Amino acid sequence: MNKIAASELILNPDGSIYHLNLRPENIASNIIFVGDQNRVPKVSKHFDSIEFETQKREFRTITGTYKGKRISVISTGIGPDNIDIVMNELDALVNIDLETRTVKKEHTKLHIVRIGTSGSLQSYITVDSFVLAKYGLGFDGMLHAYDCKSILETELEDAFIEHTGYSPRKSRPYIVKNSDVLETKLLSDKVFSGVTATAGGFYGPQGRVLRLAIQDPKLNSKIDNFEFNGIKITNLEMETSAIYGLAKLLGHEACSMNAIIANRANGTFSEDPYKPIEELIIYTLNKLCL
């Protein structure tokens, strides 16, 4: 079996994976992603016990147990580029022998749930509600670095491109479905579902104008009005599509849950943005442990 070069699979002197600072025994197969490193202990405070904790850069990890289930919480930081690091390094921890630098014969599947905050694009999805991403729509282009054609929802992509008149000078939008297994666990009558759009930035890529003009000032309204076979784009954030794409390619289960703290359709913002994220953390932990 081919050995992976040291320049491609980078390890720290203690044998841990380079960015995450983790060894295989440090992570559970059930993983919760949060963006903010300070949100990691807000999840782990609900654990019955904690066995491991580390941090390097924005990547903070706490592993413990909740209702008898072993769970890791990892902060990814912001954006698809960080997701590329986190997903590839987590997969390497379970599916590559770090000592021999060879791919293991037996594949290990991770179950990954993102818990994040987001802004709703639809007036009926009010602040303080929850949204489960049935699909991730990526504007960032990161996934196109990989051979990803087989996992893409091309019919849905084509309909979106036609509806918005999406500029060919930008990366082609890509759409990937979530994990049916995790959706079944996490969806309830308390949760909205639809397409979560993932932007490659916070300002111009999400239609915000400060001092710079944006390429298509009407793009946000076109996104809001898109509908295909009853599917609408529900919210906008910066990680989901990258998680879905890499999870599918690497053979893992992934689902994204967002607490809505702003509604861009009606211009409202949560009066207490910390409350819905705390409620979503508890909701997700309990659903995962059923």
Side-chain angles (χ1 to χ4, degrees), residues 3 9 22 28 49 64 69 90 106 115 151 172 192 218 228 241 247 252 268 273 283 289:
K3 187 174 181 179
L9 175 61
L22 295 169
S49 63
K69 180 166 284 192
L90 283 176
E106 186 174 337
I115 297 177
I151 65 166
R172 176 184 167 90
F192 294 96
K218 296 182 179 179
F228 181 75
S241 65
H252 304 299
T268 56
Y283 174 89
C289 292

Side-chain angles (χ1 to χ4, degrees), residues 34-42 58 60 74-78:
V34 294
D36 183 359
Q37 58 192 285
N38 294 320
R39 195 172 290 154
V40 173
K42 292 179 180 177
E58 63 266 56
R60 183 176 186 180
I74 300 175
S75 59
T76 62
I78 297 173

Side-chain angles (χ1 to χ4, degrees), residues 119-130:
S120 168
L121 300 177
Q122 303 296 336
S123 60
Y124 64 88
I125 302 178
T126 57
V127 294
D128 301 334
S129 59
F130 304 159

